[in-house]
Amino acid sequence: MCDMGTGNGAEPESSGSLRTFGAVLQALREHHGLSRDDLGELVSFSKHTVASIELGRRMPDPDFVEAAEQTLGNTGALRKAAEHLAREPGLASWFRRWARMEKLAINLCTYECRMIPGLLQTEAYVRALAADQLPPLTDPEIEEMWSARTERQRMLHERLSTTSSFILEEHLFLRRTGGVDVTRKLIDHILVLSELRNVEIQVMPLAQGSHAGLQGPLQLLETPENKWFAYVEGQESGQLITQSRVVSVLQSRYARMRSQALTIRDSASLLQRMRGDL
């Protein structure tokens, strides 16, 4: 099911895997006779970032892992350790790496044409989606899924300095997933979220016959180091995109879609009218 993750602050809660990665990093750094200042300069990150990662307080982004790997002997130890960082319950395996990066992002952009994104879903909507999952989900799996979403959704309220932009296709609401009551409460929920100063919600109207996102859903994020990454997802698969050229193309498409979708004010008006028609 679409984009599941957790998020509750600028840095993730420490875990055994984060502390283990940090210990490996520190051991390799010290083996090479480098201070945190030295390593930070060599990998183009601050000494404070190095310290946070070594202490298991911060999730290393892919650029840090790769740069540190090459700087500290290219043994493969850091790459392998990074593969086992903090499994989040309720997350699809292919989404976990993106979810870890999302916890630190300063900008998030999401376009969806299949279902309401996880950050905006209600419990009733999640349960309606779960009813059509194949193979069928168990009750504990559904509870774990909803728990992961609620934890992740906290970021919208707690990280007001992170801007979250959403472009949603109008037909996602017209489908009435879960029935009229579920859809009515979903729209109410999204309208409340749209009033947060860090949340921007736009609707791509059916009347927009063509737009720049017809190739499929996409997500973009900007890290605290002002680096951009993208994520695209299909059935039982997902792809984290790190190549700057490809990310730039997807950024351009998203920017075009923002100009093609309804304005934030007009989007809210449309949602209010659709809610009234239910």
Side-chain angles (χ1 to χ4, degrees), residues 35 44 62 73 114 169 172 178 192-193 205-206 216 219 235 264:
S35 68
S44 300
R114 305 164 303 170
E169 291 284 355
L172 298 180
V192 169
L193 291 177
L206 288 174
Q219 297 184 63
Q235 295 207 16
I264 294 172

Side-chain angles (χ1 to χ4, degrees), residues 53-66:
I53 292 173
E54 287 188 351
L55 294 171
R57 295 174 180 168
R58 177 166 180 165
M59 186 72 65
D61 72 31
D63 277 7
F64 180 93
V65 174
E66 189 59 31

Side-chain angles (χ1 to χ4, degrees), residues 120-257:
L120 304 179
Q121 293 174 2
T122 62
E123 181 175 1
Y125 186 83
V126 169
R127 295 185 181 281
L129 292 176
D132 275 330
Q133 281 284 95
L134 292 173
L137 299 173
T138 64
D139 288 342
E141 286 174 332
I142 295 173
E143 293 302 325
E144 186 179 76
M145 184 181 301
W146 172 238
S147 177
R149 276 173 169 74
T150 55
E151 183 67 19
R152 182 169 172 243
Q153 289 174 1
R154 288 171 55 189
M155 63 186 290
L156 295 179
H157 299 276
E158 296 179 357
R159 290 172 51 195
L160 298 180
S161 61
T162 296
T163 301
S164 297
S165 165
F166 299 90
I167 300 175
L168 311 175
E169 291 284 355
E170 181 181 353
H171 70 253
L172 298 180
F173 302 95
L174 296 175
R175 183 173 291 125
R176 299 183 179 181
T177 299
V180 170
D181 189 53
V182 171
T183 303
R184 184 183 294 118
K185 291 177 179 177
L186 175 69
I187 294 176
D188 286 343
H189 176 67
I190 289 176
L191 285 171
V192 169
L193 291 177
S194 71
E195 295 178 358
L196 295 173
R197 64 176 179 270
N198 58 317
V199 176
E200 299 177 348
I201 295 175
Q202 293 179 259
V203 175
M204 186 68 74
L206 288 174
Q208 183 69 45
S210 178
H211 62 76
L214 294 181
Q215 291 88 343
L218 70 91
Q219 297 184 63
L220 297 160
L221 68 73
E222 183 183 11
T223 71
E225 293 77 28
N226 304 117
K227 297 178 181 178
W228 284 86
F229 297 89
Y231 177 79
V232 294
E233 188 175 88
Q235 295 207 16
E236 301 300 318
S237 65
Q239 180 184 6
L240 173 66
I241 300 172
T242 61
Q243 302 98 319
S244 58
R245 180 186 62 82
V246 180
V247 173
S248 179
V249 170
L250 296 178
Q251 284 180 287
S252 296
R253 291 178 185 172
Y254 194 86
R256 176 71 65 83
M257 279 190 284

Side-chain angles (χ1 to χ4, degrees), residues 58-83:
R58 177 166 180 165
M59 186 72 65
D61 72 31
D63 277 7
F64 180 93
V65 174
E66 189 59 31
E69 180 70 73
Q70 295 180 23
T71 300
L72 299 175
N74 209 23
T75 64
L78 291 176
R79 291 192 192 99
K80 291 183 182 298
E83 293 174 0

